[in-house]
Each structure stands twice: as C-alpha cells, then as structure tokens.
Amino acid sequence: MLAEIITIGDEILIGQIVDTNSAWMATELNKIGIRVKQISSISDDREHILKALGEAAGRANIVFITGGLGPTQDDITKKTLAEYFGVGLVENTQALNNVKQIFEKYNRPLLEVNRLQAYVPANCEIILNHNGTAPGMWFSHEGVIYVSMPGVPFEMVYMMEGEVLPKLKSTLKLPVIIHKTLLTVGEGESFLAERIADIENDLPPDIKLAYLPKPGMVRLRLSAFGDDESVLQPKVDGFANRIIERIGNVFVVDQDIAIEKAILDKMAAKGLTLSVAESCTGGYLSHLFTQHAGSSAVFLGGGITYSNQLKESILGVKHETLDQFGAVSEETVTEMVEGALKNFKSDFAVAITGIAGPDGGTADKPVGTVWVAVAGGQKLLIKKFTFGNKRRQNIERSAVMALSMLNTLLT
Amino acid sequence: MLAEIITIGDEILIGQIVDTNSAWMATELNKIGIRVKQISSISDDREHILKALGEAAGRANIVFITGGLGPTQDDITKKTLAEYFGVGLVENTQALNNVKQIFEKYNRPLLEVNRLQAYVPANCEIILNHNGTAPGMWFSHEGVIYVSMPGVPFEMVYMMEGEVLPKLKSTLKLPVIIHKTLLTVGEGESFLAERIADIENDLPPDIKLAYLPKPGMVRLRLSAFGDDESVLQPKVDGFANRIIERIGNVFVVDQDIAIEKAILDKMAAKGLTLSVAESCTGGYLSHLFTQHAGSSAVFLGGGITYSNQLKESILGVKHETLDQFGAVSEETVTEMVEGALKNFKSDFAVAITGIAGPDGGTADKPVGTVWVAVAGGQKLLIKKFTFGNKRRQNIERSAVMALSMLNTLLT
C-alpha cells in the first residue's frame, strides 16, 4: 500500500519552517504497513496543486494533503480540491457546530470569515478538528483515498491519531506489521551493529532490523511483516530478547518511548522522587520530564541556576567553590547535586553545569565542556563531557547523558 | 528565477530523519532571489528519479538534488543522472585526488569502492567536497541548471556556501526578493485579517502578505518581488508600518525571530534581568529563553516549583496561601512572582501555575486552568487562562501567553 504526502504553503518553500509533519506521518504510516512513495512541498498555487494531486494519485493509493486550510485569502486548498474533484463547496453542519463551539468557548464573536471554515467540497467526509476551526476531509475518488488536514502540527497529529489512522486500518486490507523497539543509550550505531552482527545475520527475511540514531541514543527497531500475528509476535520477541541479553549495559527499555519517560515509569513504580539543578541545560531537562502526564508523581522540581548567585542561594553551592574552581567544575557540580538532594528533599537528583556556547569557552574549558552529576540511594556518579560548539546540540546531549547516567544509577 | 529541490533516499520517506537540508537551502536561495517552487523527497529508485528530474525541469530553472551519492549499491544518483543526460560516467582526476587525500589523512587504505566516488557523468563540472569523498556536480542542460550534492548536511552546506551560491549569483540575472516579518501575539489569524483587510486590499501585485500562525502567535510576512531593491524596500516598509500602526497592541517585533528572543534583545538593550517561577510549564519557559545564545546576560534562572513544598522553600509562598486557595490560584501566583523577584534579585519575573492535564482538574479548576503573573518596574500583571485538555498544548500556550504579558509589561 503506497501513500504520498503533499504539503501546501509557502512556509516550507521559503525555509521558514522545517517540515516535521511529513516525518511524523511517514513514521506512523510505516507502522501500519503503508509506505510513503514521495513527499512534496508545493505553494498555494491552484495549477500547481491540481498537477501535484494528479501526479500523486497516479503513483499512490492514498494521498495526504496538509496545509492551506486557514480562513484567509491565501489558503486555497479547499476550493482547489473541489475543482479537482469537480464538485462545489457546501456548508457542513458538523463543522459549523465545531467552529461555533470553539468561538463560544473563547467568548469571541463569530465572523463571516470563520463561518467559511465550515464550507467543504461536497464529496468529502468530515474529520472533526478538536483543536481548531479547520475541519479535516476524507475523499474517496476513482480508487484513491485523499485525506486533507491542517498544517498546524498538533491539529494534524490529533486527527491522524484519533480518526485517520484507525479509519485507514479498518478501511484497507493492510498487512500485519509488528514493531518492537529497543531503546539504547550511550553507544554508537556502528558499535552496536558490530556487537549484534550474528543476531542480525540470523534474522529471517520477514523480520527487519533498523538502527534509528538520535544524539546519544540509538533505537533498534525490529519489524516483522506477514499475515498472522500469533506467528510473528513470538519470533520478534525471541530476537528482541537475544539482543537485550547481548547489549544489557546500554539497554534502557523495550518500548518506543522517550528515555525520560522510561525513567519516570521506573521511579514511579518504586515510589522514588527526583529533583534537578540545571545550569547550562537551562530548563530543558525539566521540560523533558514534565511534558509527560503523571510526571508530578516523581518530579518535584528544582532550580534553574543560570547565574552563580542562584547556584549559591538556591542550591547552597559555596562561594569559595565557585571562586576557586569555577561554575563548570567537578567541585561545583558535586555541590549542586548535593544541594538539590538536601534542599529539595528528593530521593534522587541530577545536576548539570557546562558551557553551551557558542561563546564563553576558554583554553582550559572549551565550549562544549559539561559536568553532570547524578546522586541518590547513597550513590554518586559524576562525569565530564566534551561536546562540540553547537549550543542546542550541547543542551540536548547534556540532557541525554544525564538521563543515561540516571538510568544507570537506577538499574 | 525558480528552483526545485529533490532529495533522494529512504531516510526521509520512512520518517527516520527530518529534512532540514531543504529548509536551509530554501532560506539561502530566497535570500538571493531564487524562489523554490517545489521540494520533493523520493526513494533511491531509478524510474522515480528520472521522472522527478523531468517534472522538476519542466517547472524550474534550477534543480537541486541531494543524497544518493554514497559508495554503496543502494546509492544510484550518479548513474541515474548520467542516464538522464544520455552520457557515460568518467573518472574525474580532481575528484580522485580529493578522495586520495582524505584517505591519506585518515591513514586508511583506498578501496576500489572508494575510487568509484571519483566517477561522475561526463557532462558535469565538479564541485569539490572538502568534507567528504562524494563530489558535488553542476550540470547545464537544455537551459536548466542541475546541482547534485551529498545529503550529509554539513557537506551540502559547505558546498552551497563555498561554491554553489556564489556561482549562481555570478551566472544568473537574479531578481530581488524582500521579506519582512511582523511577529504578533495574542490575536487569531482571522481577527488580524479583518483588522488589516483594507491594507491587504491595497497591496500591489508585486507584494504578497502571508499569515503564518503558531499557537498563540501569528507572523505576518510581506514578500516583494522585483528588480530594484531601492524601489521595493520602501514600498514594503511602508505597508509594514501601516500594519504595525493598526495592530500596535499585539505587535512584538518586525523581525523573523522568536518572541522570547525579541524579549531577551529588548531587556539586554536596557540592562534588565529576568527570573522565573515555573510550575505547570515545568522548565519549558526557561528552555525557550536559554536555547538562545547570550541569554545569560538577561536570564538569571529560577525555580521549577512543581511540588507545593518547593513553592514554599524556593519561592517563599506561604503554607496558608496554598492551603486556603490552592496551588492554582491568583494568590499563589502572586506570591510566586513576588518570591522570584525577591529571592532571585531580578528586575523582572514571570510566574506560571496551572493544571496542564490530562488529569488533576476539578469542577472549579478544570484541566487547562492557568494563572500567569509578570512583575517588574513597580508593575504587576496577572491573568487567568482557560485552555483545553491537551497537556503539551497547555504548556506551550501558557509559555506563549506569559511571554506576551512580559512583552506588554516591557513596552
């Protein structure tokens, strides 16, 4: 089963935004056995849209269209779809009620331009948008399915998860695909590949192994394709267990979840609490934890101690320590993590201090120098890292390494 | 002058990587007056590549191709380009020397497969790759320019900056494109459109206005196309100023930057400092600030006071206040922001407390209830918001609204 994705709008074409929607959609489609043949970004241009729709329909069974559904003049996706299908636009009651409800909820008057959001091509089925006024649309035309959704990422994601993916699964005869993801942290792709080369060689043709690297982490994804889940599942589980046994020291969890979520689950099960003392990561680590529902059962909070003064007042780092060794030092990170344990009264704590860059480095401590300490259960683990000179990468890598160390301490 | 970008390879189509190359290329091309008409991601498939090349050449003056230049069997870009142009592959001395040098530098033996990297279609000009073994290639064929480059981001960037962009500028007569972006916050797309409808109607055909919405924010982008910058710039500025005057209350900055960066710049210019007291946003607001280089000149840090205990110990919120009014209340957020100002000794402070969800709501305080307070310069601004029940959205919207209020307080 083949799909194509067409994104409509100038934002991607002028480089103002990076197209993260398509990557997310492609991942989710692959999971249910739909391959993406082409992803195209085109402008809000009638002729171009018509041509792209025709080309995509010639290659694929399903065409996803995102973007161009706003209420303003530059958004022409709906009327161009109507032209493509040779139908008119009609007001949809369901969609109109949704628009009205949203405006009532926010106590704002409904303008004529907002009412237009409820007009859709006559041949579509509505996909309700619980997060915005633009409805999604499902078309079935000459053997091809077309799904049009807003380009706003969270609106698209909720529509896909809530309605589109389930509907595709129930409408189409899709093969059975089973994925099992093993999250590893702290070892590179090629080293992992070398360690499990013999297991990989044993894989039968209907099971594939993919290496999905992110900074500091690699996900190993086993995917099995077939008709019978009861046959595939034990085969996949068997190979997963062989791999886990082999790479136990870098293995985190056998689910496709984020490492911080795996840690939160582990700590919640044991009734443990956590606090943080973040300097160079500036809140990013806390954000990773707190984006997950239920994190408050484990995560108490902590200090974003960007300035030295706050390292002293919030964490109790000694003035002399900062003076003598500097903010980015083993001594400071030790006092930070101990201060967090003591002041925030948590079972475990993480402290990070470093030079994220791009400026602020010295010969001794170049940009990318980061100290991480994790403590709890009478144990203390401290490491120094030397990353590169890209600020955001340094922030991300510091957080990932801190999570990796915390996972080690908990295991 | 129109360009298209074709990326070749499966990584993007299975969602393994996000296509950041195209956004970067599009930005750089726009700066020199080349508009990107379409961006297509396709697989390493001979027929598909040939078809995509033909389609792109039918629409654009320049076709950029990235990816598929590796030494392994699945990389077929070069031989497919040779087929497309009807030429053979020849060994290029310059490219071979480059490969040899790289292998000498790393002291590795040159394998036959590596030598193949120096074979290129006979009709191309080489673009030397200083960061890898795969040469870039420049073709001029039937009035269309084709540029093929590796997909590895830093190899591509280096080639574009060092050779491709300068060569395009010297080879082509390029038009002038001017963009001006106005960042607004706190008003929806359709309301903005209505407020400036008459200005939008006055726009001449060579200036376009686009609405680029994100949660809580809308960017208005004016784009002008022509030959003479000295004519276009004042025209664009004139319309920008009319819009700014009209929507002054929601206008933040006339640059294409994030709102928190605009605030950091504003505060840095005045020598002001900032601290935060985050509860439900859990570090996200701090992360927004600290992802920007130079934020430490303004941002001192603050407390992630997820638990009530930390609201008391770090911020000095009174136990009775929490008992009587709850953590999500006007009284608590007031003590939080005052505690931040006092304990963290900053000129301005932001406090946020709310119920991010999906659980934890009550009849009185449903999920999505958020209190935000900003204070500084003897002023205090407090607002209650009622967002929806999506955790990540609530976190994002809370931060954006806090930034919007801080911007108001600073203006």
Side-chain angles (χ1 to χ4, degrees):
Chain A
M1 196 66 59
L2 294 177
E4 293 221 0
I5 300 171
I6 300 174
T7 73
I8 297 177
D10 282 343
E11 301 91 324
I12 293 170
L13 295 175
I14 67 163
Q16 186 155 13
I17 59 165
V18 169
D19 176 21
T20 52
N21 278 354
S22 298
W24 184 87
M25 289 168 76
T27 306
E28 296 306 309
L29 291 170
N30 266 276
K31 282 187 196 159
I32 62 166
I34 296 173
R35 270 205 311 133
V36 177
K37 179 82 179 158
Q38 179 163 332
I39 299 168
S40 312
S41 290
I42 61 174
S43 60
D44 301 287
D45 175 274
R46 177 187 151 273
E47 257 180 76
H48 199 174
I49 296 173
L50 292 173
K51 191 140 189 288
L53 287 170
E55 286 172 2
R59 286 182 297 248
N61 314 93
I62 314 159
V63 180
F64 293 90
I65 304 120
T66 62
L69 295 181
T72 51
Q73 286 177 29
D74 56 330
D75 289 313
I76 60 165
T77 299
K78 278 196 303 196
K79 67 180 179 198
T80 311
L81 280 170
E83 182 181 348
Y84 177 79
F85 294 122
V87 300
L89 289 169
V90 295
E91 190 172 71
N92 181 286
T93 316
Q94 244 190 319
L96 183 62
N97 286 340
N98 185 49
V99 174
K100 282 182 179 165
Q101 271 172 22
I102 289 173
F103 277 76
E104 267 166 32
K105 186 172 162 197
Y106 293 108
N107 248 324
R108 311 199 74 156
L110 189 73
L111 307 176
E112 190 49 38
V113 70
N114 304 121
R115 255 191 108 90
L116 290 179
Q117 292 285 63
Y119 277 81
V120 296
N123 63 331
C124 84
E125 283 175 60
I126 284 292
I127 305 163
L128 268 193
N129 185 346
H130 298 283
N131 301 289
T133 55
M137 293 164 283
W138 175 291
F139 304 89
S140 188
H141 182 76
E142 295 177 0
V144 176
I145 292 170
Y146 300 77
V147 181
S148 165
M149 290 176 288
V152 181
F154 69 84
E155 296 185 19
M156 179 279 291
V157 166
Y158 283 111
M159 278 191 193
M160 283 287 282
E161 287 179 340
E163 299 212 29
V164 178
L165 293 169
K167 188 162 172 165
L168 287 170
K169 279 190 268 190
S170 67
T171 311
L172 304 168
K173 177 157 170 43
L174 297 170
V176 172
I177 300 195
I178 290 175
H179 297 289
K180 185 154 193 131
T181 302
L182 310 181
L183 173 60
T184 73
V185 65
E187 188 145 70
E189 189 179 349
S190 50
F191 290 94
L192 281 174
E194 197 150 298
R195 286 177 68 184
I196 60 170
D198 58 320
I199 305 176
E200 195 170 353
N201 281 335
D202 288 350
L203 289 174
D206 58 347
I207 301 185
K208 299 203 170 205
L209 175 64
Y211 294 79
L212 310 172
K214 278 192 180 181
M217 292 181 270
V218 180
R219 283 179 162 67
L220 303 177
R221 193 181 59 214
L222 287 161
S223 305
F225 305 82
D227 300 311
D228 189 346
E229 190 170 345
S230 68
V231 177
L232 287 177
Q233 191 69 60
K235 272 168 82 173
V236 168
D237 290 344
F239 281 102
N241 290 338
R242 278 181 67 188
I243 294 172
I244 293 168
E245 209 168 295
R246 182 73 56 84
I247 57 163
N249 62 322
V250 295
F251 169 74
V252 181
V253 69
D254 63 346
Q255 291 173 69
D256 192 9
I257 57 174
I259 179 170
E260 71 275 3
K261 177 74 172 112
I263 289 173
L264 285 171
D265 290 350
K266 218 177 266 191
M267 294 186 76
K270 294 181 187 170
L272 297 169
T273 58
L274 177 70
S275 70
V276 299
E278 296 191 60
S279 183
C280 68
T281 45
Y284 181 66
L285 181 65
S286 298
H287 168 58
L288 288 183
F289 285 117
T290 57
Q291 67 183 317
H292 297 287
S295 49
S296 59
V298 170
F299 185 76
L300 303 181
I304 312 292
T305 57
Y306 227 49
S307 69
N308 279 355
Q309 208 181 346
L310 292 194
K311 287 185 186 73
E312 294 179 35
S313 67
I314 297 182
L315 299 169
V317 175
K318 288 196 287 288
H319 191 74
E320 309 84 71
T321 306
L322 290 164
D323 257 7
Q324 194 178 340
F325 303 103
V328 180
S329 63
E330 182 168 4
E331 291 76 7
T332 295
V333 85
T334 307
E335 292 188 19
M336 283 172 74
V337 80
E338 285 168 353
L341 278 182
K342 187 176 151 221
N343 295 357
F344 308 148
K345 301 185 180 22
S346 58
D347 299 312
F348 282 78
V350 181
I352 307 175
T353 181
I355 304 154
D359 306 314
T362 63
D364 262 17
K365 297 173 184 176
V367 167
T369 306
V370 177
W371 282 93
V372 179
V374 294
Q378 315 292 343
K379 287 178 285 186
L380 173 66
L381 198 57
I382 299 181
K383 274 192 194 173
K384 179 190 176 182
F385 299 93
T386 311
F387 303 122
N389 55 8
K390 302 269 189 296
R391 183 178 183 85
R392 289 181 203 199
Q393 269 180 32
N394 290 340
I395 292 173
E396 259 184 61
R397 281 178 175 271
S398 303
V400 169
M401 286 306 134
L403 290 166
S404 165
M405 288 166 63
L406 179 56
N407 183 62
T408 304
L409 210 63
L410 287 166
T411 310
Chain B
M1 196 65 60
L2 294 177
E4 294 220 0
I5 301 171
I6 300 173
T7 74
I8 297 177
D10 280 343
E11 299 92 323
I12 293 170
L13 294 176
I14 65 165
Q16 186 159 4
I17 59 165
V18 170
D19 176 22
T20 53
N21 277 354
S22 297
W24 184 87
M25 290 169 75
T27 306
E28 296 307 309
L29 292 170
N30 265 275
K31 281 186 198 157
I32 63 167
I34 296 173
R35 272 206 305 138
V36 176
K37 179 83 179 154
Q38 179 163 332
I39 299 169
S40 311
S41 290
I42 61 174
S43 59
D44 301 287
D45 175 275
R46 176 187 152 274
E47 257 180 77
H48 199 173
I49 295 173
L50 291 173
K51 191 140 189 286
L53 287 169
E55 286 172 1
R59 287 182 296 246
N61 314 95
I62 314 159
V63 180
F64 294 91
I65 304 119
T66 63
L69 296 180
T72 49
Q73 282 181 32
D74 55 334
D75 289 313
I76 59 166
T77 300
K78 278 196 303 196
K79 68 179 181 199
T80 310
L81 280 169
E83 181 181 349
Y84 178 79
F85 294 122
V87 301
L89 288 169
V90 296
E91 190 173 71
N92 181 287
T93 317
Q94 243 190 319
L96 183 62
N97 287 339
N98 186 49
V99 174
K100 282 181 179 165
Q101 271 172 26
I102 287 173
F103 277 76
E104 269 166 31
K105 187 174 159 193
Y106 293 105
N107 250 324
R108 311 193 76 156
L110 188 73
L111 307 177
E112 190 52 36
V113 70
N114 305 121
R115 247 189 116 91
L116 289 179
Q117 291 285 62
Y119 277 80
V120 295
N123 63 332
C124 85
E125 284 174 62
I126 284 292
I127 305 164
L128 267 193
N129 186 346
H130 298 283
N131 301 289
T133 55
M137 294 164 282
W138 175 291
F139 306 88
S140 188
H141 181 76
E142 294 177 0
V144 177
I145 292 170
Y146 299 77
V147 182
S148 165
M149 290 176 290
V152 182
F154 71 87
E155 296 184 19
M156 180 279 292
V157 166
Y158 203 91
M159 280 190 190
M160 282 287 282
E161 287 179 340
E163 298 209 29
V164 178
L165 292 169
K167 189 162 175 168
L168 288 170
K169 279 192 269 192
S170 66
T171 312
L172 303 169
K173 176 160 169 37
L174 296 171
V176 172
I177 301 193
I178 290 174
H179 296 290
K180 187 157 190 130
T181 301
L182 310 180
L183 173 61
T184 73
V185 65
E187 190 144 69
E189 191 179 351
S190 49
F191 290 91
L192 282 173
E194 190 143 305
R195 285 177 69 183
I196 61 170
D198 58 320
I199 306 177
E200 193 170 355
N201 282 334
D202 287 351
L203 289 175
D206 58 347
I207 301 185
K208 299 202 169 202
L209 175 63
Y211 294 78
L212 310 173
K214 277 192 185 182
M217 292 181 270
V218 179
R219 283 178 162 69
L220 303 176
R221 193 187 59 226
L222 288 159
S223 304
F225 307 83
D227 301 312
D228 189 346
E229 189 170 345
S230 68
V231 176
L232 285 179
Q233 190 70 60
K235 270 168 82 174
V236 168
D237 290 344
F239 281 102
N241 290 338
R242 278 181 66 187
I243 294 172
I244 293 169
E245 209 170 294
R246 180 73 57 83
I247 57 162
N249 62 322
V250 296
F251 170 73
V252 180
V253 68
D254 61 347
Q255 290 174 68
D256 191 11
I257 57 175
I259 179 170
E260 71 275 3
K261 177 74 172 105
I263 288 173
L264 286 171
D265 291 349
K266 219 178 265 191
M267 294 187 75
K270 295 181 186 170
L272 297 170
T273 57
L274 176 69
S275 69
V276 299
E278 295 192 61
S279 183
C280 68
T281 46
Y284 181 66
L285 181 65
S286 298
H287 169 58
L288 288 182
F289 285 118
T290 57
Q291 68 182 318
H292 298 286
S295 49
S296 60
V298 170
F299 185 76
L300 303 181
I304 312 293
T305 55
Y306 227 50
S307 70
N308 278 356
Q309 207 181 350
L310 291 193
K311 287 184 185 74
E312 294 180 35
S313 66
I314 298 182
L315 300 169
V317 174
K318 288 198 285 291
H319 191 74
E320 309 84 71
T321 307
L322 290 165
D323 257 6
Q324 194 178 341
F325 304 102
V328 179
S329 64
E330 182 168 6
E331 290 76 8
T332 296
V333 85
T334 307
E335 292 187 21
M336 283 172 74
V337 81
E338 284 168 352
L341 279 181
K342 186 176 152 224
N343 294 358
F344 308 148
K345 301 186 180 20
S346 59
D347 299 312
F348 282 78
V350 182
I352 307 175
T353 181
I355 303 154
D359 306 312
T362 62
D364 261 16
K365 298 174 183 175
V367 167
T369 305
V370 178
W371 282 93
V372 179
V374 294
Q378 315 292 344
K379 284 177 289 186
L380 174 66
L381 197 58
I382 299 180
K383 272 192 196 174
K384 179 190 175 181
F385 298 93
T386 311
F387 302 123
N389 55 6
K390 301 276 188 294
R391 183 178 184 84
R392 288 181 203 199
Q393 255 176 269
N394 289 340
I395 292 173
E396 258 185 60
R397 282 178 175 269
S398 301
V400 169
M401 287 305 133
L403 289 166
S404 166
M405 287 167 62
L406 179 58
N407 183 62
T408 304
L409 210 64
L410 287 166
T411 311

